[in-house]
Amino acid sequence: MAKIKKTRRMAIVLGDQLNADAAIFDDFDKQRDILWMAEVAGESTRVWTHKARIALFLSAMRHYRDARRNAGYTVDYRQVDDGAADSLGEELAEAIRRNQPEELVMVQAGEWRVQREIESAAEEYGIELQVLDDLHFFSTPSDFANHAEGRKQLRLEFYYRELRKQYGILLDEDGQPIGGQWNFDSENRGAFDKSGPRDLPAPPAFRSHGPTQDVLQFVAKQFESHPGSLDSFNWPTTPGQAERALEEFIKHRLPSFGKYQDALWTDEPFLYHSLLSSSLNLKLLDPRQVVRAAEEAYHLGHAPLASVEGFIRQILGWREYVRGVYWLNMPEYLERNALRARQPLPDLYWSGETDMHCLSQIVGQTLEHGYAHHIQRLMVSGLFALLLGVDPRQVHEWYLAVYVDAVEWVELPNTLGMSQYADGGVMASKPYCASGNYINRMSNYCKSCRFNPSKATGEEACPFTTLYWDFLARHQDELTENTRMQLQLKNLNRKSADEIIAIRKQAKEFRVHLCGES
Ligand code: FAD
Ligand code: SF4
């Protein structure tokens, strides 16, 4: 390939680094420096990625490229349909040969593997690579490492409080939490009454403009065999659209967000959730702007404290915390399997075809939109995989593939740690294990299901309930030291030996039926 020109610095922009105020621009000389971006097919096929996730990344990248070019930057951009190489490392090597930069600069990648791939390419060509902190976040991996130092156990609450104090968020004049407590979690667990959610505001609709139309057509054809649909594609692909998504959320859904944060309802995939994760993770939206907007809504009397604090805790708390856990523990974190779970992921995760109404709802909406809210991910699809004993690596790969907001630094600790307890308690102080009764309490799914959530054996037994008792029985010895598991284990021990035998037999049958193994 012909050389374009001698370049001082080539700044690498990855598909989830689409902020125009990134640190790479601090010392950028438009005459001598260039931006480099590449769409690499391997990133969509490494895990069997949902079409909407591929389309969102490609479309947002192309919008970003066009905006940067319009702002006078030189962007060396390779489209996947221009014959780009299959791996990022190869494509970068090609760009180094083409542009012959004196040095490379990048913001730290969101994924350990990608960071290593880029470092290897730079090493191979003997070219200096500057890696800058990602200023999009409130804290850095080294801030988190300092916080973690000397602590026996990490807990979200402590890191969250530190960040609240550091950034002065929801504090009174004495530096104390507004409302007299740091956390209103107990007010964030409401379920709907029988009539369900009323006057639910629809999420804003986004026009597919600029490169988005082309990308949607291209992905539909090129990645035809990939899971999911593009029919309902409605994700922000530019900072302008992301800002509108934020404004509409604050105006219409934030006031009820807190109360119904954990609730579930048939055919209502979004409820009062913000749908901002993909915009945040692609860095179309700045988390400071999001937190400020929520805090202002409280001060203006537009949204109650429990909603605002609950929402801010997700972004200032969980989002920063999981990133810290990821960088502190990679790469060995990926290999963890504390509960020695070995079952293959059942096919129903790719098809949504199952009699279990809750799972068919969650997988169905995931395939349609590339979205499920937190409790749908944690307490339905994640819970089922945990109870069944699915290999956490396979569960991780599914979550990384099917959600539009999936990037490894946030997906992996949530899946492998919080949802599968495969890290043995780094993310969560106990496994998030529950029976069908939890799902029944938080939703109306069970009303239209052929199973009965309170039955653990027999024709009508709910697979969640059977597998819940089976899970406790299988892991009793290793969980017995955990003080937070005592009540659940005590209830298990109230069951007779015959009941346990019947439950375990039925659990085995479910497992053989769903996974082909016992
Ligand atoms: P809201 O409910 O409106 O929350 C507001 C924001 O808070 C989100 O946009 C997100 O940025 C942040 N947030 C909320 N919960 C978490 C959390 N647990 N960790 C980090 N940030 C959080 N989130 C991702 O962004 N990408 C993922 O790949 C991802 N995978 C997950 C896998 C599993 C098994 C589980 C249990 C959770 C996962 N989450 C992931 C966290 C959470 O489910 C999503 O952030 C949330 O559902 C996105 O929807 P929303 O924007 O409507 O969020
Ligand atoms: Fe899900 Fe069980 Fe309820 Fe059916 S009965 S919807 S399988 S929890």
Side-chain angles (χ1 to χ4, degrees):
M1 192 141 319
K3 188 182 121 184
I4 296 170
K5 63 179 175 181
K6 182 90 175 159
T7 303
R8 179 186 74 144
R9 184 178 288 167
M10 190 164 90
I12 297 168
V13 179
L14 299 171
D16 61 347
Q17 297 183 333
L18 306 181
N19 43 341
D21 57 356
I24 48 166
F25 295 109
D26 287 351
D27 179 28
F28 198 96
D29 178 346
K30 284 183 182 168
Q31 302 308 315
R32 294 186 295 159
D33 300 341
I34 63 167
L35 299 172
W36 173 75
M37 301 176 76
E39 299 169 1
V40 171
E43 293 299 316
S44 305
T45 52
R46 201 171 59 82
V47 291
W48 199 39
T49 305
H50 193 301
K51 294 187 191 83
R53 179 170 180 264
I54 305 174
L56 173 61
F57 270 75
L58 297 192
S59 170
M61 285 171 76
R62 291 183 192 186
H63 276 288
Y64 180 87
R65 170 200 62 193
D66 295 350
R68 294 283 85 192
R69 282 184 178 157
N70 288 339
Y73 291 85
T74 303
V75 187
D76 179 11
Y77 191 98
R78 288 274 279 172
Q79 288 197 183
V80 66
D81 46 347
D82 283 347
D86 208 40
S87 89
L88 198 70
E90 280 174 64
E91 194 49 45
L92 176 60
E94 178 66 41
I96 294 172
R97 285 197 291 273
R98 193 163 60 236
N99 297 306
Q100 300 198 1
E102 287 161 21
E103 65 168 359
L104 301 175
V105 60
M106 71 180 295
V107 165
Q108 185 182 19
E111 186 170 341
W112 189 91
R113 174 193 57 84
V114 169
Q115 185 64 43
R116 287 296 95 83
E117 225 174 293
I118 293 172
E119 284 168 7
S120 303
E123 243 171 66
E124 198 185 318
Y125 282 82
I127 187 165
E128 196 186 323
L129 170 68
Q130 266 193 70
V131 182
L132 307 173
D133 277 343
D134 193 340
L135 305 177
H136 163 90
F137 294 95
F138 286 93
S139 60
T140 62
S142 62
D143 292 336
F144 189 81
N146 289 338
H147 165 86
E149 185 143 359
R151 285 176 197 263
K152 271 208 200 115
Q153 255 198 342
L154 294 172
R155 287 294 160 251
L156 160 85
E157 188 61 26
F158 302 116
Y159 199 52
Y160 168 56
R161 284 183 198 182
E162 268 181 27
L163 291 176
R164 285 259 305 264
K165 286 182 202 156
Q166 184 181 342
Y167 287 94
I169 292 165
L170 291 178
L171 299 183
D172 65 20
E173 285 154 4
D174 301 323
Q176 293 306 308
I178 288 180
Q181 58 195 69
W182 290 100
N183 185 315
F184 291 83
D185 198 26
S186 58
E187 292 176 42
N188 296 154
R189 298 184 196 136
F192 296 108
D193 63 22
K194 267 194 221 140
S195 52
R198 279 176 288 265
D199 303 324
L200 203 55
F206 296 108
R207 201 167 50 84
S208 296
H209 68 300
T212 308
Q213 275 304 343
D214 287 349
V215 164
L216 288 172
Q217 280 172 19
F218 171 74
V219 172
K221 205 161 149 224
Q222 193 72 16
F223 297 94
E224 193 184 1
S225 66
H226 279 235
S229 159
L230 290 170
D231 295 348
S232 312
F233 185 90
N234 185 34
W235 297 103
T237 53
T238 63
Q241 290 187 335
E243 210 161 301
R244 187 156 76 81
L246 170 64
E247 281 165 18
E248 300 234 357
F249 165 70
I250 298 283
K251 204 160 151 193
H252 301 299
R253 304 202 298 288
L254 176 64
S256 299
F257 172 87
K259 183 166 180 196
Y260 296 117
Q261 202 175 324
D262 287 3
L264 309 148
W265 201 259
T266 298
D267 294 335
E268 292 295 354
F270 310 126
L271 293 169
Y272 295 100
H273 290 270
S274 70
L275 318 185
L276 292 176
S277 49
S278 60
S279 299
L280 283 163
N281 295 351
L282 267 57
K283 310 199 175 93
L284 303 177
L285 203 53
D286 187 327
R288 287 165 197 79
Q289 184 187 357
V290 178
V291 167
R292 252 195 326 267
E295 193 175 9
E296 193 178 276
Y298 167 71
H299 289 301
L300 293 173
H302 171 64
L305 185 55
S307 270
V308 170
E309 187 282 317
F311 180 68
I312 289 178
R313 188 176 350 113
Q314 307 311 311
I315 292 171
L316 182 70
W318 281 112
R319 196 164 178 268
E320 297 289 321
Y321 183 80
V322 299
R323 180 164 176 263
V325 168
Y326 179 81
W327 285 106
L328 192 64
N329 293 289
M330 281 300 281
E332 61 84 24
Y333 197 73
L334 196 51
E335 309 302 326
R336 294 207 192 172
N337 188 354
L339 297 177
R340 300 170 308 285
R342 306 265 181 246
Q343 299 294 331
L345 188 76
D347 289 347
L348 70 88
Y349 277 78
W350 298 106
S351 68
E353 283 166 21
T354 167
D355 285 356
M356 291 177 271
H357 184 56
C358 54
L359 262 177
S360 82
Q361 281 278 310
I362 305 314
V363 178
Q365 73 168 67
T366 298
L367 294 174
E368 187 179 349
H369 301 285
Y371 177 84
H373 73 63
H374 186 66
I375 293 301
Q376 293 170 325
R377 296 185 207 197
L378 183 66
M379 297 308 289
V380 182
S381 47
L383 172 63
F384 194 68
L386 170 77
L387 299 180
L388 204 55
V390 178
D391 176 354
R393 186 71 177 243
Q394 293 193 27
V395 186
H396 149 63
E397 288 180 357
W398 183 78
Y399 278 98
L400 191 59
V402 297
Y403 290 108
V404 289
D405 57 24
V407 262
E408 195 178 89
W409 65 264
V410 51
E411 176 278 328
L412 185 68
N414 270 297
T415 302
L416 191 132
M418 189 188 297
S419 138
Q420 301 301 299
Y421 202 68
D423 65 7
V426 176
M427 275 290 289
S429 53
K430 72 186 256 306
Y432 279 92
C433 56
S435 72
N437 289 324
Y438 171 84
I439 294 173
N440 190 29
R441 200 162 58 246
M442 298 309 293
S443 76
N444 67 342
Y445 294 149
C446 306
K447 304 269 178 302
S448 329
C449 186
R450 83 165 179 84
F451 300 113
N452 180 339
S454 59
K455 294 212 164 148
T457 51
E459 269 286 291
E460 285 182 5
C462 161
F464 280 81
T465 303
T466 311
L467 291 167
Y468 166 70
W469 294 115
D470 175 71
F471 175 88
L472 290 180
R474 279 191 292 130
H475 295 293
Q476 184 162 21
D477 287 348
E478 55 216 290
L479 297 176
T480 199
E481 298 291 314
N482 186 324
T483 46
R484 296 200 58 217
M485 288 303 297
Q486 294 314 307
L487 186 66
Q488 282 169 294
L489 291 176
K490 211 164 125 193
N491 288 336
L492 173 74
N493 290 326
R494 286 209 184 99
K495 295 203 176 290
S496 68
D498 285 350
E499 265 180 292
I500 300 287
I501 290 169
I503 285 169
R504 299 218 52 190
K505 182 167 172 281
Q506 185 142 356
K508 191 170 173 181
E509 284 163 12
F510 277 141
R511 226 172 251 121
V512 172
H513 173 65
L514 287 169
C515 307
E517 296 178 22
S518 61

